């Protein structure tokens, strides 16, 4: 159903069914009205059986009021906003071939067709670009996802979002969740580590960033390594990122706090630098950018996950602080000197935010600075980080570590407090007397008669001095919901200035100084050694409350069924049998000694439930593929192919990896397969069973855009009318093609896979010309016919794109309401 030409009554209903509208008055087009009304009444009217979540939690309110999370005069607005539904947001994939078409459709079609006239004559905008996101690539609608699903009038828009999301041209993602990658300042050649990546919204965004300016048929120099500890969520991540069809991604399954560094020197022993180290550009896995989007209590997502109201308690944040510090410290040690790391959470709790940032600064000494990014993304409304906060433990408020009872010291650590000072660090505070007073009064500040003393929530700060951090935590960013009708988020940006100091037994904070760039730097700890990423101390492990943790960002939660997903059956151990012929080398140049050594190293890495990764060096098969498709010499092909089954004679799928990913894989092999790799590479070829052809490997639809500019054979141009016939009927006999030239050229192709390109300009083309606007489809040239080899979803996308390009001819091209059947 179309948005154009709707009746006035329809439009009225449409307008009435909304909340959170942006109203642009004619005088003030920029004016934005934040929607903070409670939507429950509306929802109940439209669905009387619907039971709203309880949007109240006394402990939550008490906690955040006490923390001064927003000024008292904003409290009611803040709470009202948290109780209202979150507007849906999505991002256009800027590396998609048709991102400009999608942008134009949103701007010229949906933005106008969904625009309404309010009762006061003002214009009500239903979708609009997020003003702070570069190049109008991210959009927000006034509707929540639920409203989009239910409102009939929005059906066409909703269908559009669904299709484009499935194809990978857009990604639905909460607006504030798009912020952290923007502060990573990603460049196309960067090696990026996404430490806690599932379900993968930010990984996808990072991939978009590195691919953004890559020409069709070429790959960026960088790569993304996306990791998550949870096997099931790793599978979601794989499914999600498959939509990107990228050769520049590795998905791993590790505890981020113990992420391996694949350090070759360590693996190979000291003294004798092994031969293979010299052959690689890298000898340790270090990254230019690290995203540390850690597991958190997730109370910033209350608007889209209202069940958190019921579950929330202050212990969630306390329980995660240690794990968050560990993960961030590991990230920092894997970051190259000069690199940037972003730490983020979707929690509002200072224990998970400023306290973690402060602890990182203390532990890293002068080797790391917290960057002032106030001039970046100026249209993003954010507030500075807190300098003061308190810790609540078992309902008691604590303002300094000295108030922590002995029995609670495993759970409440010095780093949770603004000064970060431990029990022994602050005799000058004269807290000894206070501590003994606490002990005298009994456990956790309860006096013997049961009346609370200093920890009484009603009078938490009147007796004790409040601690304040001297670190520049105001450089952290807090995004609060009622500033721009969003969720809440916390972001801090770090810059690594030098190697980390050797782990100190006690993490004392030294007073800092401000650098020439105006950024704060804590004073260097005295003993600084150039250490590798393996040597950084692993801190105390907390995080035993992980079951309660909100994993956040579950915008895309559909499990994919792919051969490369992780096996969740713990009983299954894959025995990796490596055939003699598999060699580790760049371009197959390695000598026999190296092969033997490499194989030994490979044998060490046996990961439960993980298919092995093998470079595909089968000369005969690879040569055959190359010859059949006429792959140009200029395309880096040999040495970039991998397979995931050990039986080299029955390879089903061949994956392509970028140069950057190839380097990491080679390093990983040499380092004894430390990485537990769940997915890697772009599926480029798939074996076609029971066919007679010179080459049994067909090009997949994922592989087609990358390969198309580099093949010189098995490629043919079709006139719009024949292209349309192919899309419509999927298999066409040569005699049924309309265009005689196409018929002749198609019948001269070799039996097997071929690429049919839409000749949209209807020119006579002698040489194939491929650019970003090219519309091509993978087909099979059979004995008497050409058959389409893509799934229904891809056909649907091709139809949409074809109609956009040939708009003036659309009448003659409209498909005749015949169903398109999946391949
Ligand atoms: C906030 S979510 C990440 C969201 C993700 N960055 C995105 O944008 O889609 C936190 C993730 O951390 C993972 N996680 C929890 N503990 C972890 C650990 N120790 N190491 C690595 N990942 C962990 C969870 O499985 C969860 O997927």
């Amino acid at each position: 159903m179309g948005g154009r030409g709707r009746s006035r009554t329809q439009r009225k209903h449409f307008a009435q069914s909304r909340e959170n509208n942006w109203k642009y008055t004619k005088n003030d087009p920029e004016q934005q009205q934040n929607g903070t009304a409670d939507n429950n009444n509306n929802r109940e009217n439209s669905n009387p059986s619907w039971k709203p979540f309880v949007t109240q939690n006394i402990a939550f309110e008490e906690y955040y009021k006490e923390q001064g999370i927003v000024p008292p005069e904003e409290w009611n607005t803040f709470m009202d906003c948290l109780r209202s539904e979150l507007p849906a947001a999505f991002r256009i994939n800027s590396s998609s071939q048709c991102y400009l078409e999608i942008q134009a459709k949103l701007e010229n079609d949906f933005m106008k067709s969904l625009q309404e006239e309010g009762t006061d004559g003002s214009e009500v905008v239903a979708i609009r670009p997020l003003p702070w996101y570069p190049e109008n690539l991210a959009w927000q609608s006034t509707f929540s996802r639920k409203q989009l699903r239910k409102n009939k009038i929005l059906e066409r828009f909703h269908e559009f979002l669904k299709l484009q999301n499935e194809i990978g041209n857009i990604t639905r993602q909460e607006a504030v969740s798009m912020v952290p990658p923007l502060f990573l300042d990603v460049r196309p050649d960067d090696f990026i580590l996404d430490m806690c990546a599932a379900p993968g919204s930010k990984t996808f965004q990072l991939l978009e960033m590195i691919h953004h300016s890559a020409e069709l048929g070429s790959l960026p120099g960088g790569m993304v390594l996306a990791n998550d500890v949870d096997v099931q969520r790793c599978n979601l991540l794989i499914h999600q990122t498959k939509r990107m069809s990228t050769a520049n991604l590795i998905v791993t399954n590790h505890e981020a706090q113990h992420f391996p560094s694949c350090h070759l020197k360590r693996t190979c022993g000291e003294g004798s630098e092994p031969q293979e180290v010299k052959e690689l550009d890298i000898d340790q896995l270090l990254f230019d950018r690290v995203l540390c989007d850690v597991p958190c209590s997730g109370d910033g997502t209350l608007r889209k996950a209202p069940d958190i109201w019921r579950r929330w308690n202050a212990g969630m944040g306390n329980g995660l602080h240690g794990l968050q510090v560990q993960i961030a410290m590991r990230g920092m040690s894997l970051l190259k000197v000069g690199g940037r790391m972003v730490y983020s959470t979707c929690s509002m709790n200072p224990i998970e935010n400023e306290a973690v940032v402060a602890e990182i600064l203390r532990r890293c000494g002068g080797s790391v600075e917290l960057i002032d990014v106030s001039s970046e993304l100026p249209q993003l409304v954010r507030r500075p980080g807190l300098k003061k906060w308190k810790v609540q433990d078992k309902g008691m408020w604590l303002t300094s570590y000295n108030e922590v009872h002995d029995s609670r010291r495993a759970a409440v650590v010095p780093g949770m407090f603004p000064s970060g000072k431990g029990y022994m660090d602050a005799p000058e505070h004269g807290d000894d007397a206070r501590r003994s007073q606490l002990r005298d009064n009994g456990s956790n500040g309860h006096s013997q008669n049961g009346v609370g003393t200093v920890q009484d929530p009603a009078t938490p700060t009147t007796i004790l001095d409040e601690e304040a951090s001297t670190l520049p935590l105001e450089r952290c960013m807090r995004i609060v919901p009622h500033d721009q009708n969003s969720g809440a988020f916390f972001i801090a940006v770090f810059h690594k200035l030098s190697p980390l100091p050797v782990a100190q037994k006690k993490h004392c904070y030294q007073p800092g100084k401000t650098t020439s760039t105006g950024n704060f730097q804590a004073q260097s700890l005295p003993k600084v050694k150039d250490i590798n990423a393996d040597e950084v101390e692993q801190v105390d492990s907390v995080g035993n409350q992980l079951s309660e943790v909100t994993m956040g960002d579950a915008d895309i939660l559909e499990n994919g069924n792919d051969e490369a997903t992780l096996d969740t059956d713990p009983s299954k151990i894959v025995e990796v049998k490596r055939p003699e012929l598999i060699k580790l080398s760049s371009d197959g140049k390695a000598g026999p000694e190296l092969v033997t050594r490499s194989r030994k190293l490979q044998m060490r890495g046996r990961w439960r439930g993980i298919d092995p990764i093998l470079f595909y060096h089968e000369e005969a098969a690879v040569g055959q593929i190359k010859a059949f498709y006429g792959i140009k010499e200029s395309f880096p092909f040999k040495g970039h192919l991998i397979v995931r089954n050990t039986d080299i004679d029955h390879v089903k799928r061949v994956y392509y990896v970028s140069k950057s990913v190839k380097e990491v894989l080679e390093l990983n092999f040499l380092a004894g397969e430390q990485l537990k790799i769940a997915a890697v590479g772009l599926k480029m070829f798939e074996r076609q069973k029971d066919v007679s052809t010179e080459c049994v490997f067909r090009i997949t639809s994922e592989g087609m855009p990358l390969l198309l500019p580099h093949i010189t054979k098995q490629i043919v141009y079709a006139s719009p009318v024949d292209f349309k016939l192919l899309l419509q009927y999927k298999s066409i006999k040569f005699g049924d093609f309309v265009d005689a030239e196409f018929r002749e050229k198609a019948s001269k192709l070799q039996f097997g896979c071929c690429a049919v390109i839409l000749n949209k300009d209807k020119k006579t083309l002698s040489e194939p010309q491929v650019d970003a606007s090219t519309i091509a489809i993978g087909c099979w040239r059979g004995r008497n016919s050409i058959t389409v080899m893509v799934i229904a979803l891809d056909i649907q996308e091709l139809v949409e794109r074809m109609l956009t390009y040939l708009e003036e001819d659309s009448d003659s091209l409209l498909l005749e309401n015949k169903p398109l059947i999946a391949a």
Side-chain angles (χ1 to χ4, degrees), residues 273-276 279 580 582-585 588-602 670:
E273 179 95 326
Q275 178 72 20
E276 53 269 41
E279 290 202 3
E580 288 302 306
I582 298 296
K583 298 182 278 191
L584 169 70
S585 78
K589 284 185 199 136
E593 278 162 54
L594 178 55
V595 173
T596 319
R597 169 161 189 83
S598 309
R599 277 221 333 273
K600 265 194 207 150
L601 289 168
Q602 286 172 23
L670 290 172

Side-chain angles (χ1 to χ4, degrees), residues 569-639:
D569 176 4
S571 63
K572 188 177 163 196
I573 299 177
V574 172
E575 290 292 325
V576 183
K577 292 190 201 105
R578 289 170 203 284
E580 288 302 306
L581 281 176
I582 298 296
K583 298 182 278 191
L584 169 70
S585 78
S586 38
D587 303 325
K589 284 185 199 136
E593 278 162 54
L594 178 55
V595 173
T596 319
R597 169 161 189 83
S598 309
R599 277 221 333 273
K600 265 194 207 150
L601 289 168
Q602 286 172 23
M603 292 303 284
R604 282 195 222 146
R606 279 185 197 172
W607 291 104
R608 195 179 278 248
I610 297 270
D611 289 337
I613 293 164
L614 304 166
F615 278 108
Y616 193 46
H617 285 310
E618 283 296 279
E619 282 293 337
V622 174
Q624 197 179 53
I625 296 174
K626 208 171 165 203
F628 185 77
Y629 295 106
I631 296 173
K632 295 175 190 167
E633 282 304 323
S634 55
F635 181 65
F637 192 60
K638 283 189 175 170

Side-chain angles (χ1 to χ4, degrees), residues 173 177 194-203 227-230 233 237 240 254-258 291 293-296 323 327 344-346 546 549-556:
Q173 186 182 0
S177 154
D194 190 351
M195 301 193 83
C196 307
S201 327
K202 295 182 193 74
T203 307
N227 173 70
D228 203 277
V229 73
D230 186 303
R233 289 174 67 86
L237 168 66
Q240 159 81 330
H254 290 277
E255 284 185 335
Q257 67 274 30
H258 300 127
L291 178 61
D293 190 39
V294 294
C296 66
L323 177 66
I327 294 176
S344 59
T345 74
C346 53
L546 267 180
V549 174
T550 292
M551 300 310 186
D553 281 350
D555 289 286
I556 318 99

Side-chain angles (χ1 to χ4, degrees), residues 804-819:
T804 311
Y805 272 118
L806 307 167
E807 200 153 16
E808 67 277 17
D809 298 327
S810 59
D811 283 349
S812 66
L813 284 163
L814 279 173
L815 300 179
E816 292 140 22
N817 289 331
K818 297 230 166 111

